[in-house]
Amino acid sequence: MTNAINRRQLLRGATLTAGGLAAAGWLPAWAQTVSPGIVRPLPTLSGEDITLKIARQTLVVDGHRTRAIGINGTVPAPLIRLREGQTVRLNVVNDLDEDSSIHWHGLLVPPEFDGVPGVSFPGIKPRSSFLYQFPIRQSGTYWYHSHSGLQEQLGHYGPIVIDPAGPDPVQYDREHVLVLADHSPLSPQEIFRRMKVDAGHFNFQRQTLAGLLSGKDQKLKDRIDWGAMRMDPTDVSDVTGSTYTYIVNGHGPRDNWTGLFKPGERVRLRVINASAMTNFNVRVPGLTLSIVQADGQNVHPVEVEEFQIGVAETYDAVVTPAEDKAYTIVAEAIDRSGMARATLAPRPGMAGEVPPLRKRPIATMKDMGMDMSSMHGMEGMDMSGGARGIDPTAEQNASAKLATGTAAAMGGMDHGAMPGMDHGAMPGMDHGSMPGMDHGAMPGTDQGSMQGMDHGSMDMGSMKMRDFSNAPQVKKGPGVQTISPMPMDRTGEPGQGLEDVGHKVLVYKDLMALDRNPDVRAPSRSIDIHLTGNMERFMWSFDGEKMSEKHEPIPFIEGERVRVNLINDTMMSHPIHIHGHFFELVTGHGDHGPRKHTVIVQPGGKVTWDFTADAVGDWAFHCHLLYHMEAGMMRIVSVRPKGEAA
């Protein structure tokens, strides 16, 4: 017996049921409009005493039942609504059979209530409770989530809205809180295991031979050059829509969560990216978005058509739908492997047109930290000839080799067994397009025998991809595959894949704080922190050392003003978050620089921010891509009282 469906059966099924609803089942979930929509506000808790119970439950997404961890029986957890100036007591009950925790992301709280086990908080033991108690010192849109293991991936997250003590500078008639997330039927431990075995396991969008022959994606010479460097230009997200369903307020695209409006109303959308691994590109086709808040902090309104939101960021946008029709809220995964989808409508049961997924991005030399357009006199540089061990005549023979399906077209090497190489972090290499080559399952290779090979230090003319003189504080080792030769400030760019969308996209340099920054002193010192990794091995770190290897904290003295330069030596975006503090992005706005708690550092780019170490204690500092943090891209920041030795 076989389960195969032949063409006749498919056509027969498509003709059954009125309106062709059966055919809709063959569309991706994000493209289906058959659902009447779910008009269901998030459960809300408020007041001075709040009880939260963490427990295992099931979550139904687009009709599929999966395992989850929720709070008070819901995923996402209830919306906690507070007011600036109040004191809140949050009694958290852990009904799990393992330790748990809650971190109040973006809230300025005492360190003992920040909720990061092993930093300044012991965690919440199984079948026990913990009382968080702190004053509310701010207003805006925030969120909360587990900082224990990989529980966040399973649904252990929820939104926070804090109303200002005085008048709200943002005028609106109604609001909707949109919690974006990624959910998988696989356990987070299994997701992590698969990436450690093969970092590109979830990437189903690689370049192919068929694409080359049809003129898609990179040209042959570029594929040869990037292949020689073991780089995959399609490796934009580690975990993709191949296993994730992208959800809004716990509902999949087919569920069609719906928020209502009356034509002409100003609708405030509080957008929270609570996903584990997915940066989203958010737009509402047909409506202009007025960005009024970033990470809970008010900004001068900026009108855009789209914005990129990194993991753990929040943006508030006001829209004014004038027509009596439904609008689709699109949150497209950065690698375009899927989307979260919701609806704004004047009445329940409506659905707007859902746009198709756009072409997935392809990484460029700039994503390697080499902006070739700015390298005067090097425009004609032949990368393939300069790379160590690469035959300059390879391009001439490549067509024949690709046609015969031999792996020698790209050097004949198994990148899955080369310990120093990260095919994920080095976008540009299409392992899938190398016929006859299984980079993840070549049993005959001895990884240990290849430890001495320095694949990252390939000369690019006068450039090197692994030159530690560009980052002297970075520890040499297999966990550092590349060092960006020419990292540049990319805060004026919209993010990967959004360069040529044909409409206005928010960039960090657009953001300007509504109020003057509370501390406008010049920094007294500056530090560099390199974001490092080996994508082939799924290794992630700061300055070449992962959390388990670097026990000394990054020290600061209470009250000092410090400039921090984040330099991304990898080919993947990293949303970097500091606990207990806000920082001001250095983007040319002086004493009105935007204040944030999380910032995306683009591939091969750098971000500079100033901050005041005004919260004594130990604080977590990490990449908010969950599995990057778990793999080691995390450190402790220690703010010491004045008078103590640095």
Side-chain angles (χ1 to χ4, degrees), residues 132-192:
Y132 293 86
Q133 181 172 330
F134 47 82
I136 302 301
R137 302 165 48 195
Q138 63 210 92
S139 62
T141 303
Y142 304 96
W143 64 297
Y144 60 107
H145 60 86
S146 173
H147 233 291
S148 299
L150 302 172
Q151 294 172 0
E152 187 181 343
Q153 174 75 93
L154 288 167
H156 189 337
Y157 51 77
I160 300 173
V161 172
I162 304 174
D163 295 310
D168 194 327
V170 180
Q171 299 299 307
Y172 58 97
D173 300 302
R174 75 167 75 199
E175 69 176 20
H176 294 296
V177 178
L178 304 174
V179 182
L180 307 177
D182 42 27
H183 194 76
S184 172
L186 293 177
S187 73
Q189 291 77 17
E190 179 61 17
I191 291 174
F192 192 41

Side-chain angles (χ1 to χ4, degrees), residues 480-501:
V480 181
Q481 185 177 10
T482 53
I483 300 289
S484 295
M486 299 176 62
M488 62 177 294
D489 182 350
R490 304 187 69 178
T491 56
E493 300 179 19
Q496 280 183 295
L498 296 176
E499 303 87 351
D500 302 309
V501 292

Side-chain angles (χ1 to χ4, degrees), residues 296-308:
Q297 305 299 294
N298 294 319
V299 297
H300 285 279
V302 182
E303 291 197 347
V304 300
E305 307 302 315
E306 186 168 6
F307 62 91
Q308 185 169 106

